[in-house]
Amino acid sequence: MKRKTKFIILLVVVLICSILIWWRYFFVFGTGVKAGSLNHFEKKGVMFKTYEGRIIQEGFRANTPGSLTSNEFDFSVEDEKIAEQLEKSSGNFVEVRYSEYLNAIFWRGNSKYVITEVISIKEHAPEKNTVIQ
């Protein structure tokens, strides 16, 4: 009887741990679309090479009262085809779809945001210099 009780308790503990790990690292918490200028995109890592990038969005936000910072969106990419598209698009205006996880996993990337699709890539139009007289 004790052996059967220990087995059931162990089984319940393993099941609960498995559900918690799935929820923290594999459950897609949300999805969305971001757009902005692709600031940088790189492949990096010591053992697991992952693709990491940053999009600078228009506007400013304040993390603390009295300060301004640019809207930066750090992300990771798993798919090689998406990575190839983004590697060729540095400095361009990109619109991407992403999945948000609760936590990052080292083989998936450093960010909890993972790009799942590139919606559009547009070259920046050169800014017109206007002279005020």
Side-chain angles (χ1 to χ4, degrees):
M1 189 72 158
K2 279 190 164 200
R3 194 171 189 193
K4 187 176 180 181
T5 306
K6 287 180 183 180
F7 177 75
I8 291 174
I9 290 172
L10 180 65
L11 189 63
V12 168
V13 168
V14 168
L15 183 64
I16 290 172
C17 288
S18 299
I19 290 170
L20 285 174
I21 289 170
W22 172 81
W23 180 71
R24 286 191 56 87
Y25 297 104
F26 297 100
F27 173 71
V28 177
F29 181 68
T31 60
V33 175
K34 294 278 187 178
S37 298
L38 184 61
N39 185 323
H40 81 271
F41 188 74
E42 61 189 353
K43 185 175 184 178
K44 65 181 185 178
V46 177
M47 289 187 64
F48 292 94
K49 301 289 185 190
T50 60
Y51 293 99
E52 308 296 326
R54 176 179 295 140
I55 291 176
I56 305 295
Q57 299 172 286
E58 293 180 358
F60 297 96
R61 75 169 172 225
N63 290 335
T64 58
S67 69
L68 290 176
T69 59
S70 62
N71 287 321
E72 297 177 351
F73 176 65
D74 293 322
F75 62 87
S76 300
V77 176
E78 285 184 296
D79 189 342
E80 292 280 335
K81 291 180 182 179
I82 294 172
E84 287 175 12
Q85 284 181 302
L86 291 173
E87 280 180 329
K88 298 174 186 173
S89 305
S90 184
N92 291 330
F93 186 85
V94 295
E95 188 175 6
V96 294
R97 186 175 316 278
Y98 68 91
S99 293
E100 179 181 355
Y101 296 89
L102 293 175
N103 291 75
I105 301 177
F106 57 90
W107 66 78
R108 185 171 56 206
N110 294 332
S111 174
K112 64 181 184 176
Y113 302 102
V114 177
I115 302 299
T116 57
E117 177 186 2
V118 175
I119 297 171
S120 69
I121 299 170
K122 298 175 187 164
E123 288 188 28
H124 277 293
E127 292 183 22
K128 296 179 183 178
N129 292 333
T130 57
V131 178
I132 300 174
Q133 296 179 358

